[in-house]
Amino acid sequence: MGDGTGRKVHSSLGSQCGGFSWQRGCATARLKKRILKRTQECRPEGPALQVANMLVIGMMSGTSADGMNVALADINGAPPKLRLKLLHHTSRSMPAALRKEVLRVAEGAACTAGEISQLNFRLGIAFADAAASACKEFRVALSRVELIGSHGQTIFHQGRPVEFLGRRTASTLQIGEPAVIAARTGITTVGDFRVADIAAGGQGAPLVPFADYVLYGDENIGRVSLNLGGIGNVTVLPAGARPGQVLAFDTGPGNMLMDALVGHFTKNKQKFDRGARLARQGKVNVKLLKELLRDPYLKLGPPKSTGREYYGRAYFQELLRLGKKHGAGPNDLIRTTTEFTVASVVDALKRFVLKKTKIAQVIVSGGGAKNPLVMAQLAVALTPMEVLGSGRFGVPEEAKEAYAFALMAYETVHRRSGNLPSATGAEAEAVLGKICCAGVQ
């Protein structure tokens, strides 16, 4: 598929539209009329976009599966003049039994196809409930929202092709059925974003760099957007960069290992190290830290991506073993792992970024931005660069990824690409996601 500019653009539009073509009524009548009008107006040779703003919900559940983040955005325009504003954001805890099952499956435990199918639909119900509950909190009627973008919950990600049944194959699987979300909310929903990038030869991650480019790109200031969720990832935005000059990759563990240790040592009474209180009571075990920094993933060059399939249960068990080997007590192990997270980010920037690109600011989002020890250590290690929370730029640290998927859904229904091949390694730009319609009118 082409986009009128000669670029290759892969598209998965309409694959969840119940057999109807886009033109014949995949979307609700209200949304279809607006989208078709916008699509005509958005062609490169056409006039500037002059339509009313669209209210879009974005939803995200990260690697830790500890909750569902919901963002409501007001979006208008088309690249390079996209206009977006974060109106509200909130989060909803995932039911304990559901989270336990998600983590069990994501860790590779034995399960049946039936269990995965049931979990996909059950999680879709949870996301739909989160969207409805959030709108009630925002005092915004669901009927006013025109679109939902739901990342879903990753339970498997193999971004680099590996040998499988005679062919090198890459794949990814996010669950939380978007058709269920659409049906239960009455709002057309875009989900399953990552597969189109992998189909185009990319790793399916990271995808948030598209939003980072829109939000933080600057003609005069080089910036890095660092997200510390379960996994750490960076988007490198050189001053005056065009989309093809953006570099992004997963740096290694974010909060995943720290949170796992806290849950383990507190017998699940705490989910994370609030205020770094436990880490501050421990000391860095230098020998252990040096051993952790020999992690082969850290030396892989970008594009690269990782997740629970690498930094999951097996890695965690090895971390506990190494802690015992080096005589690290519980708080020492938490402190050392916190330092490991910071060191892996700093190593990635020094190894792959700072030798080539001048960076003045590092903008941090995700749960790790709420950890004062992490932020303090980053500030020291990255001097003279400024280390700033994304809240300083109008995007609360916990809201950015959900906000990003609202933007990507908006681009998808306008038949525009949402990946950056320079970040994912894809051979072409791709229209991301599958559109699940709330009804046919």
Side-chain angles (χ1 to χ4, degrees):
M1 165 179 175
D3 68 349
T5 65
R7 300 176 301 177
K8 285 197 299 180
V9 179
H10 292 201
S11 173
S12 60
L13 279 175
S15 57
Q16 292 289 324
C17 292
F20 288 82
S21 71
W22 176 260
Q23 288 78 10
R24 287 180 57 199
C26 166
T28 60
R30 175 168 60 94
L31 182 58
K32 181 181 74 172
K33 184 176 180 181
R34 288 166 62 92
I35 295 305
L36 290 178
K37 182 174 185 288
R38 288 167 183 249
T39 300
Q40 295 296 320
E41 293 174 340
C42 285
R43 289 175 178 169
E45 67 275 18
L49 197 64
Q50 298 291 335
V51 294
N53 293 10
M54 179 181 280
L55 290 184
V56 186
I57 285 176
M59 296 194 291
M60 174 74 186
S61 177
T63 314
S64 298
D66 51 357
M68 296 164 284
N69 293 324
V70 184
L72 179 65
D74 187 338
I75 310 178
N76 190 12
K81 294 184 178 181
L82 272 169
R83 294 176 290 278
L84 61 160
K85 181 180 180 181
L86 179 63
L87 301 178
H88 302 283
H89 70 94
T90 190
S91 63
R92 293 291 181 267
S93 296
M94 191 176 292
L98 184 56
R99 179 175 187 263
K100 182 178 180 180
E101 183 65 4
V102 165
L103 293 178
R104 186 185 76 84
V105 172
E107 292 286 1
C111 61
T112 66
E115 287 173 321
I116 294 175
S117 179
Q118 288 288 90
L119 187 58
N120 177 39
F121 274 67
R122 176 62 184 87
L123 197 55
I125 294 171
F127 276 111
D129 290 346
S133 173
C135 280
K136 185 176 290 187
E137 178 184 326
F138 302 156
R139 297 185 179 182
V140 173
L142 274 174
S143 59
R144 289 185 56 202
V145 179
E146 296 187 75
L147 185 66
I148 292 175
S150 177
H151 169 268
Q153 176 68 58
T154 298
I155 60 169
F156 181 78
H157 185 80
Q158 178 60 55
R160 288 177 179 263
V162 295
E163 196 68 27
F164 182 73
L165 299 179
R167 292 292 295 270
R168 290 185 62 77
T169 306
S171 69
T172 188
L173 182 59
Q174 286 72 46
I175 59 173
E177 181 54 52
V180 172
I181 301 171
R184 293 178 73 93
T185 62
I187 302 169
T188 295
T189 300
V190 182
D192 213 9
F193 287 88
R194 297 189 185 277
V195 294
D197 184 82
I198 287 186
Q203 295 201 19
L207 295 183
V208 172
F210 177 80
D212 287 331
Y213 178 75
V214 173
L215 292 169
Y216 305 131
D218 190 277
E219 285 297 317
N220 303 307
I221 301 174
R223 289 171 169 160
V224 165
S225 176
L226 166 63
N227 188 75
L228 290 173
I231 295 296
N233 52 69
V234 293
T235 302
V236 183
L237 302 161
R242 304 281 75 85
Q245 297 171 305
V246 175
L247 173 69
F249 57 94
D250 290 346
T251 57
N255 306 314
M256 182 186 296
L257 296 176
M258 294 186 286
D259 292 351
L261 288 171
V262 170
H264 176 77
F265 289 125
T266 66
K267 300 188 186 316
N268 292 318
K269 292 178 181 177
Q270 297 180 42
K271 291 183 178 180
F272 63 96
D273 189 11
R274 187 181 299 276
R277 293 170 189 163
L278 298 177
R280 290 185 188 280
Q281 295 175 43
K283 295 181 179 180
V284 176
N285 186 304
V286 177
K287 291 183 179 179
L288 172 58
L289 181 59
K290 287 182 178 179
E291 189 157 353
L292 292 173
L293 287 171
R294 290 199 285 268
D295 181 346
Y297 178 81
L298 305 184
K299 297 176 177 60
L300 285 176
K304 61 177 181 175
S305 58
T306 189
R308 187 171 291 279
E309 64 282 349
Y310 185 83
Y311 288 108
R313 179 167 295 278
Y315 198 102
F316 174 68
Q317 293 297 332
E318 177 66 8
L319 178 60
L320 291 176
R321 187 191 71 78
L322 289 174
K324 289 182 179 179
K325 170 186 170 183
H326 292 287
N331 289 338
D332 295 337
L333 189 52
I334 293 171
R335 177 64 178 262
T336 304
T337 303
T338 302
E339 297 282 347
F340 173 48
T341 294
V342 172
S344 65
V345 171
V346 174
D347 177 75
L349 292 178
K350 290 182 176 180
R351 190 187 297 264
F352 303 119
V353 177
L354 299 179
K355 293 176 183 178
K356 301 176 181 179
T357 307
K358 184 178 180 180
I359 299 297
Q361 295 177 332
V362 178
I363 304 167
V364 190
S365 60
K370 299 291 188 180
N371 186 312
L373 183 57
V374 167
M375 293 296 283
Q377 295 288 6
L378 284 171
V380 170
L382 296 175
T383 300
M385 289 175 275
E386 285 187 284
V387 176
L388 307 165
S390 64
R392 294 274 295 272
F393 295 82
V395 182
E397 288 80 0
E398 64 275 17
K400 192 190 78 172
E401 289 194 301
Y403 190 24
F405 281 96
L407 174 59
M408 281 184 264
Y410 175 88
E411 290 297 279
T412 294
V413 297
H414 288 87
R415 301 181 177 187
R416 294 193 293 260
S417 59
N419 67 332
L420 295 180
S422 59
T424 67
E427 297 172 2
E429 295 180 356
V431 179
L432 304 179
K434 299 170 183 175
I435 300 174
C436 299
C437 304
V440 177
Q441 300 293 330

